[in-house]
């Protein structure tokens, strides 16, 4: 499973890139606001740090305006993936981007049928929001499992990008459900490295070895 970092904070991206574990970046308007950057400005910096797919979301809600905004973002760099909301207008815009070989990420996916529509129209990625479904009393990971079956049934090449990840447990479950990608916030990415028994084991090895050198 590929790991993307879900942030617009350039310092977080720099650190995670240095760990050598990230394959791409996803951003959204809320993450841009949190980082205090405009999408254009942040994206231009992120492409110099990560050589992989970088999702940049449009603000427009009407298909023609989405196309115009997305085209301008796609012109920045070939690694830019245009993130569109899974609305009727988003799907119309998706058709245009697919027919012009521009990569897309259909976001705010909450049902298998929405994922099916996006795959039929040639989306590069779809982003089911696991955490937000859990927050609303559903079992978010079941959505990934159902979309996996549908995409495999019809050999869709659209990649499943598990989003709204809230815990290391979500990452593990997304991998078990054969999600193609998980986009993970900085803190949770960092948590993936650690296990108390690893730390304890390292400490024991070092202490044992010191006994030889002390002789
Ligand atoms: O990038 C989209 C998604 O990961 C948002 O997550 O935590 O705002 O539901 P969250």
């Amino acid at each position: 499973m590929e790991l993307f970092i879900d942030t617009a904070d350039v310092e977080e991206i720099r650190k995670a890139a240095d760990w050598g574990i990230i394959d791409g970046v996803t951003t959204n308007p809320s993450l841009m606001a949190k980082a205090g950057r405009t999408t254009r400005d942040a994206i231009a910096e992120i492409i110099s740090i990560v050589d992989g797919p970088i999702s940049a979301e449009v603000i427009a809600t009407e298909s023609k305006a989405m196309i115009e905004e997305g085209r301008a973002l796609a012109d920045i760099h070939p690694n830019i993936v245009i993130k569109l909301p899974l609305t009727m207008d988003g799907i119309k815009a998706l058709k245009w981007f697919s027919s012009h070989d521009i990569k897309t990420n259909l976001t705010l996916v909450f049902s298998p049928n929405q994922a099916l529509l996006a795959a039929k129209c040639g989306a590069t990625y779809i982003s089911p929001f696991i955490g937000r479904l859990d927050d609303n009393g559903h079992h978010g990971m079941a959505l990934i499992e159902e979309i996996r079956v549908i995409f495999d049934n019809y050999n869709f090449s659209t990649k499943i990008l598990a989003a709204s990840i809230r815990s290391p447990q979500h990452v593990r479950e997304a991998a078990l459900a054969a999600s193609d990608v998980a986009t993970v916030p900085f803190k949770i990415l960092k948590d993936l490295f650690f296990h108390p028994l690893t730390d304890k084991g390292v400490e024991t090895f070092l202490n044992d070895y010191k006994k030889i050198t002390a002789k």
Side-chain angles (χ1 to χ4, degrees), residues 111-165:
S111 80
N113 286 337
Q114 289 180 316
L116 175 65
L117 296 182
K120 281 175 70 70
C121 295
T124 316
Y125 299 93
I126 48 118
S127 291
F129 274 32
I130 304 313
R132 292 195 197 183
L133 278 168
D134 287 354
D135 294 345
N136 284 277
H138 299 277
H139 177 38
M141 208 51 69
L143 177 59
I144 301 282
E145 290 163 7
E146 289 184 20
I147 296 171
R148 179 75 281 156
V149 172
I150 292 168
F151 284 10
D152 290 350
N153 282 350
Y154 299 101
N155 284 323
F156 285 126
S157 58
T158 299
K159 290 187 174 179
I160 304 172
L161 195 168
S164 188
I165 293 280

Side-chain angles (χ1 to χ4, degrees), residues 5 22 29 35 65 68 70 73 102 140 148 158 164 167 174 188 207:
I5 184 167
I22 59 166
E68 205 176 309
L73 289 169
I102 294 173
R148 179 75 281 156
T158 299
S164 188
S167 63
I188 297 165
N207 284 336

